[in-house]
Amino acid sequence: MDSGELLTGIIRTLGLTALVVLGYSWVIRKFSGGLTKGAAVGVLFALGGIISMNDPIRFAPGVIYDGRTALLALAYPYGGPIGTLITLAVMAVYRIWIGGIGSLSGVIGMVATALIGFACTLIPVRKLKIGPARSLLIGIAASTSLAAITLLPHEIMMTLVGIPLVTVIIANIAGVILLGEFLEREKSRQRIMRALEHEASVDPLTKLQNRRAFDQAALRAMNDNRSKSHQCSLVMIDIDHFKAINDRWGHDAGDTVLADVAAIIRKKVRITDVVVRYGGEEIVLLLTNTPQSAAIELAESVRSQIEQTQFESGEESLGVTISAGVASLSDRFHDMDAVMKAADRALYRAKSGGRNRVEIAL
């Protein structure tokens, strides 16, 4: 094999990086974390390794080189324990199935590479995560797994010593750096996208979600209610005499009261519930898997705590109350629009009935 053929094969092998990065982008969008994400990364990297082994550089019958080293070295940093085990197991089985005199040294090299990738994540490199410096470290360390070629027959091993071995080492290091850099950039891009999506769905004053988030949550709640017979309730809350607060103490005081009321409500609900600043001083609670009786109890608890709380406004403190209307998905209110209108009517009765009270949809 001449150097041109070797270089062409290496470039072809490194070209697999683009496909792996595209797949990784889909995985991190689809799976938020945990074992499922790790398993998906493992399957992706394993498939990348199989594709690479199907079109390798052949040094001798049964002795091949391909792009699996970068995938194995980065399996732990990006796929965790489960991702590493899946990647290693699938690649090893496939390499054994390919066969040849290099299969044993190949499998041993793969195990060594995966262990080296894991070990490199334990090295405390300050202010460096999986950037170019850490990838360089992993690439150099992973190349030591090439020591497995000593298990080959002497005459074949000697054909690898020299330019072929140096070229493979350089290719391994370059492969890890390139793949690690692209994977990290994609990971960072997804983090930025999630942060922007979060900011677009959160009210900056109250830190509650906004109407855009409510519409999405309402659609999910409707689907759950239809498919799983989950009960869904809605509480519509309005701060009593909020305009008077703004007029007497100023809009800064009004903003503080609104933010403090929102904080009280957030502490009362579950993580699965959706709390939305629906407009002005109006707050809506979408309570998933919650019967109307439990929604009424929660609304009363919120109302009571807010009534007993003294809200600070400069050097003064002021008392605040709320009114609330409660409605639930039912045969009568069969969609979210009907539930919203019913809760709004109940809220109107609470306000016209004297405020500081909870009313139920009739």
Side-chain angles (χ1 to χ4, degrees):
M1 173 181 292
D2 58 32
S3 58
E5 187 179 355
L6 183 60
L7 181 59
T8 300
I10 291 171
I11 292 173
R12 186 175 64 244
T13 301
L14 293 178
L16 183 64
T17 298
L19 294 176
V20 172
V21 172
L22 285 174
Y24 181 74
S25 176
W26 179 84
V27 166
I28 58 179
R29 286 199 309 269
K30 186 73 174 178
F31 305 102
S32 58
L35 293 178
T36 307
K37 178 186 173 184
V41 171
V43 171
L44 171 66
F45 282 20
L47 289 176
I50 289 174
I51 293 171
S52 182
M53 281 186 273
N54 273 330
D55 190 20
I57 301 168
R58 298 186 185 277
F59 291 102
V63 180
I64 63 176
Y65 168 77
D66 48 70
R68 80 188 91 136
T69 298
L71 295 166
L72 282 164
L74 295 172
Y76 192 89
Y78 290 94
I82 186 68
T84 304
L85 289 173
I86 291 174
T87 302
L88 179 59
V90 174
M91 285 190 188
V93 169
Y94 194 75
R95 181 63 187 92
I96 292 170
W97 180 79
I98 291 173
I101 59 174
S103 60
L104 176 61
S105 62
V107 170
I108 292 175
M110 285 192 282
V111 173
T113 301
L115 290 174
I116 288 167
F118 163 69
C120 286
T121 63
L122 303 179
I123 298 173
V125 181
R126 285 192 174 185
K127 298 182 180 180
L128 295 176
K129 294 183 180 178
I130 309 295
R134 178 62 66 88
S135 295
L136 175 61
L137 174 63
I138 294 174
I140 293 172
S143 293
T144 63
S145 65
L146 290 171
I149 66 172
T150 57
L151 298 173
L152 295 171
H154 181 73
E155 62 275 11
I156 294 178
M157 182 188 73
M158 292 308 296
T159 64
L160 301 178
V161 175
I163 293 178
L165 184 59
V166 171
T167 307
V168 168
I169 291 173
I170 293 172
N172 281 344
I173 295 172
V176 172
I177 291 174
L178 285 174
L179 183 59
E181 181 68 10
F182 284 130
L183 290 175
E184 191 61 23
R185 285 182 181 229
E186 188 59 32
K187 194 175 179 180
S188 297
R189 190 178 72 86
Q190 290 298 325
R191 280 198 296 262
I192 292 171
M193 290 295 294
R194 289 195 186 102
L196 290 174
E197 289 173 359
H198 177 74
E199 289 180 6
S201 63
V202 173
D203 173 61
L205 173 63
T206 61
K207 309 305 179 187
L208 301 179
Q209 298 188 67
N210 58 24
R211 291 183 67 164
R212 176 173 175 263
F214 174 81
D215 292 339
Q216 296 172 348
L219 181 60
R220 289 195 300 270
M222 285 293 300
N223 291 334
D224 285 343
N225 195 68
R226 292 193 185 102
S227 63
K228 304 176 185 176
S229 299
H230 284 180
Q231 292 178 299
C232 177
S233 296
L234 188 142
V235 179
M236 187 172 287
I237 293 172
D238 192 83
I239 300 175
D240 296 329
H241 303 296
F242 189 72
K243 185 177 182 301
I245 295 173
N246 283 330
D247 291 343
R248 180 175 177 181
W249 283 281
H251 287 280
D252 288 344
D255 288 347
T256 300
V257 167
L258 183 56
D260 289 346
V261 167
I264 290 172
I265 295 172
R266 280 201 309 272
K267 292 178 182 178
K268 289 283 187 179
V269 300
R270 304 164 301 181
I271 192 171
T272 53
D273 297 326
V274 179
V275 186
V276 175
R277 182 183 180 184
Y278 202 72
E281 70 276 16
E282 196 170 72
I283 296 173
V284 173
L285 283 61
L286 182 60
L287 309 175
T288 57
N289 197 21
T290 303
Q292 184 168 278
S293 58
I296 295 168
E297 183 178 345
L298 173 63
E300 280 288 356
S301 176
V302 170
R303 183 205 62 77
S304 176
Q305 182 168 343
I306 290 174
E307 182 185 24
Q308 297 171 26
T309 301
Q310 287 296 305
F311 296 86
E312 299 299 323
S313 174
E315 297 179 356
E316 299 182 67
S317 61
L318 59 146
V320 174
T321 61
I322 63 166
S323 300
V326 180
S328 300
L329 282 169
S330 62
D331 292 338
R332 184 178 178 190
F333 308 124
H334 58 277
D335 59 40
M336 196 56 65
D337 185 56
V339 174
M340 285 287 294
K341 291 178 179 177
D344 189 52
R345 291 193 297 270
L347 174 61
Y348 179 79
R349 287 201 314 275
K351 295 184 81 68
S352 61
R355 294 182 171 84
N356 192 26
R357 58 195 295 165
V358 176
E359 289 286 344
I360 309 166
L362 300 176

